[in-house]
Amino acid sequence: MCNFIIHVVIFTLTLQLARATCPNIVSRHDWNASSPTSVENITSIPVPFVVIHHTYQPGFCRTHRACAAAMRNMQNYHQNTRNWPDIGYHFVIGGTGEIYEGRGWDVVGTHAPNYNSRSVGIAFIGDFREEVPTDEMLKAAKDIIKCGVERGSIASGYKLVGHSQVKNTLCPGASLLEEIKTWPHWDPLKQP
Ligand SMILES: *[C@@H]1O[C@H](CO)[C@@H](O)[C@H](O)[C@H]1NC(C)=O
Ligand SMILES: *[C@@H]1O[C@H](CO)[C@@H](O)[C@H](O)[C@H]1NC(C)=O
Ligand SMILES: [Zn+2]
């Protein structure tokens, strides 16, 4: 009986993974990422939060080449100046609408204190205090969140928040925050 239940659970999980419709992701190899200095796996899967960021610096990038360079610059800054194990975010969206792999689905990020082990952090490359990301960028973020839910990495009842809702910061920029407030799952949580 117990075996039967386990088989059903495994079968269902397998189906879920197989069914996930995920967008193309620019792999770490493709943007020439350095190796992480250490890795901590997320233990409570699926995570209940998605936290949205803007990078502020580096600024908006228009080509694959420029966005890949922005990824390397951020990783270099996060590893060598901030002393984090790797680039802080799980996924990063460039001005081309491409999604860059940061830590990926399974690894704890460094992007939102108190939320790192229970959230996926998604950053938009650029300064979105006054402007919003392009439609392609917004669609990319929605697609990667949907993929995360379908593959079982993000809880189906997840809460979507801007970084400034969980920390005293201007990130993700006032315009981008107003934008995500219109998305399903945005939550008015405020924990300074
Ligand atoms: C990739 O990164 C390595 C080490 O950081 C560096 O030596 C190499 O020049 C980089 N290659 C490209 C194409 O950027
Ligand atoms: C993290 O997960 C990966 C793949 O799921 C595994 O190979 C690795 O050993 C795990 N690392 C730790 C520290 O548990
Ligand atoms: Zn942030």
Side-chain angles (χ1 to χ4, degrees):
M1 188 57 196
C2 203
N3 255 342
F4 174 73
I5 291 172
I6 289 168
H7 279 110
V8 169
V9 168
I10 290 172
F11 181 70
T12 310
L13 285 174
T14 310
L15 268 186
Q16 219 172 25
L17 282 176
R19 268 206 212 116
T21 48
C22 292
N24 285 333
I25 294 172
V26 179
S27 70
R28 294 173 63 90
H29 178 262
D30 285 348
W31 60 266
N32 198 25
S34 301
S35 298
T37 57
S38 68
V39 168
E40 185 189 346
N41 289 337
I42 295 179
T43 52
S44 85
I45 299 167
V47 295
F49 291 97
V50 174
V51 182
I52 300 293
H53 304 266
H54 72 164
T55 61
Y56 180 61
Q57 297 264 330
F60 193 78
C61 52
R62 284 180 178 76
T63 63
H64 174 85
R65 195 186 168 87
C67 295
M71 290 298 289
R72 290 191 295 274
N73 288 342
M74 280 190 281
Q75 188 190 37
N76 183 44
Y77 176 68
H78 289 172
Q79 287 186 320
N80 300 325
T81 304
R82 307 298 293 268
N83 272 313
W84 297 344
D86 197 352
I87 186 167
Y89 314 112
H90 292 97
F91 296 97
V92 182
I93 317 249
T96 55
E98 287 171 309
I99 301 166
Y100 288 78
E101 181 183 24
R103 297 206 193 183
W105 292 115
D106 303 321
V107 177
V108 174
T110 315
H111 64 95
N114 298 321
Y115 286 80
N116 284 320
S117 57
R118 50 197 177 117
S119 68
V120 165
I122 301 173
F124 289 85
I125 300 178
D127 172 357
F128 297 109
R129 291 175 301 174
E130 290 177 11
E131 287 169 51
V132 284
T134 65
D135 289 345
E136 287 90 346
M137 294 171 84
L138 298 172
K139 180 178 184 301
K142 290 174 180 170
D143 287 349
I144 193 74
I145 294 170
K146 182 164 177 282
C147 156
V149 172
E150 288 179 4
R151 71 194 300 290
S153 299
I154 300 174
S156 56
Y158 71 92
K159 292 180 175 179
L160 174 76
V161 296
H163 191 190
S164 57
Q165 294 178 248
V166 295
K167 192 191 166 174
N168 185 15
T169 170
L170 292 176
C171 177
S175 293
L176 179 50
L177 183 62
E178 286 310 307
E179 166 63 30
I180 66 165
K181 283 182 180 177
T182 68
W183 294 11
H185 291 270
W186 179 76
D187 191 273
L189 171 83
K190 182 70 183 163
Q191 285 180 356

